Amino acid sequence: MASFSRPPGGQPIRGLLFDKDGTLFDFRLTWGRWCAGFIRDLAKGDESAAEALSGKLGYDLVREEFAPTSPVIAGTMDVVVQAIKSCFPELSRAAIRAHVLASTSEVPQVEAVPLSALMARLKGDGHTLGIATNDAEQAARHHLDSSGILEEFSFIAGYDSGFGAKPDPGMLLAFCDHSNFEPADCVMIGDSTHDLLSGRAAGMRTVGVLTGLAEAEELADLADVILPSIGALPGWIDGENRTVAAL
């Protein structure tokens, strides 16, 4: 599937900037079951507290899945910290943040596609790779390292890296500065409207993928192309670059 395609940007693609959760890693399979255990651990047997927190997080404890409108999907860790703080006011923000970081860093990541081979191919084709995630940078680095792909990325930014968070374009423009690229040389790849809005704001081409919770129709107006997963990227890039070369 590669629908809603728009005309190419008119320049060869040099930089590829990826979201993490829902893009590199399958969101449902990675975070669905983890969240149930995380909530119940915090609630310590208090079912009403567990239900209150699950409501704040847009999470169904019975089905063990997130609602498409969950603030966790594209939000920063501060969103999760605020939700927990509102349900457990006796906990400090620093303690909550440390607990969330420790818990999420150890969650086994379910790769959307075999990442090592794909990233090696993209890098071998001459592309510079980066990460722009609304997760914490420390957690992102841990997850990439656990999949053996940390070294493939020359730029890794989280919401706490000093460039702001998506949908603002700060992380994306920092990638351009770091790589000495123009935004038109780059593509933002993600599974949420936050990812694609940030790409549009930065002046990049945008690729939507369907390994998060958003449906194609939700991403259509913001994406130059929608792919089933990042596994389809090489074929799309080859087509875009061939089109540019023929101009």
Side-chain angles (χ1 to χ4, degrees):
M1 174 183 177
S3 59
F4 307 111
S5 186
R6 292 175 179 165
Q11 292 181 238
I13 294 169
R14 302 173 66 193
L16 300 175
L17 192 56
F18 294 87
D19 170 55
K20 180 173 69 73
D21 297 316
T23 302
L24 296 182
F25 304 106
D26 186 289
F27 191 92
R28 291 180 178 86
L29 297 178
T30 297
W31 298 108
R33 181 155 296 181
W34 164 83
C35 195
F38 178 78
I39 289 173
R40 294 193 186 283
D41 179 61
L42 276 173
K44 300 186 185 306
D46 185 337
E47 193 62 25
S48 63
E51 290 178 0
L53 181 55
S54 64
K56 293 281 188 180
L57 297 178
Y59 181 79
D60 189 319
L61 275 170
V62 176
R63 296 177 178 271
E64 295 189 345
E65 62 184 29
F66 289 92
T69 56
S70 167
V72 176
I73 295 171
T76 68
M77 184 182 293
D78 288 342
V79 173
V80 179
V81 170
Q82 177 58 37
I84 295 171
K85 181 68 174 173
S86 69
C87 296
F88 301 94
E90 70 277 10
L91 300 177
S92 72
R93 291 182 183 276
I96 293 170
R97 188 177 191 278
H99 183 64
V100 173
L101 263 178
S103 178
T104 57
S105 292
E106 298 306 318
V107 176
Q109 301 296 296
V110 180
E111 298 180 1
V113 299
L115 292 177
S116 182
L118 176 61
M119 295 304 147
R121 175 179 176 179
L122 292 170
K123 191 172 179 180
D125 287 342
H127 301 295
T128 298
L129 310 182
I131 297 290
T133 175
N134 276 355
D135 198 356
E137 181 180 338
Q138 175 187 331
R141 288 183 177 275
H142 184 87
H143 294 154
L144 297 171
D145 191 41
S146 68
S147 289
I149 58 172
L150 178 62
E151 299 305 317
E152 302 290 359
F153 297 91
S154 66
F155 177 88
I156 299 170
Y159 84 97
D160 54 354
S161 299
F163 308 116
K166 297 173 292 186
D168 292 336
M171 286 188 280
L172 286 66
L173 296 175
F175 172 69
C176 292
D177 289 342
H178 173 83
S179 306
N180 199 27
F181 293 155
E182 294 297 322
D185 298 330
C186 303
V187 178
M188 178 66 212
I189 304 128
D191 67 296
S192 76
T193 56
H194 272 39
D195 300 322
L196 305 184
L197 283 166
S198 66
R200 290 288 181 209
M204 295 182 179
R205 278 169 277 184
T206 53
V207 170
V209 292
L210 301 178
T211 42
L213 298 184
E215 301 292 339
E217 291 74 16
E218 185 179 348
L219 304 177
D221 289 342
L222 298 171
D224 290 301
V225 68
I226 296 177
L227 304 175
S229 73
I230 57 174
L233 267 175
W236 177 75
I237 292 169
D238 288 346
E240 289 285 281
N241 285 345
R242 280 198 303 271
T243 300
V244 171
L247 292 178

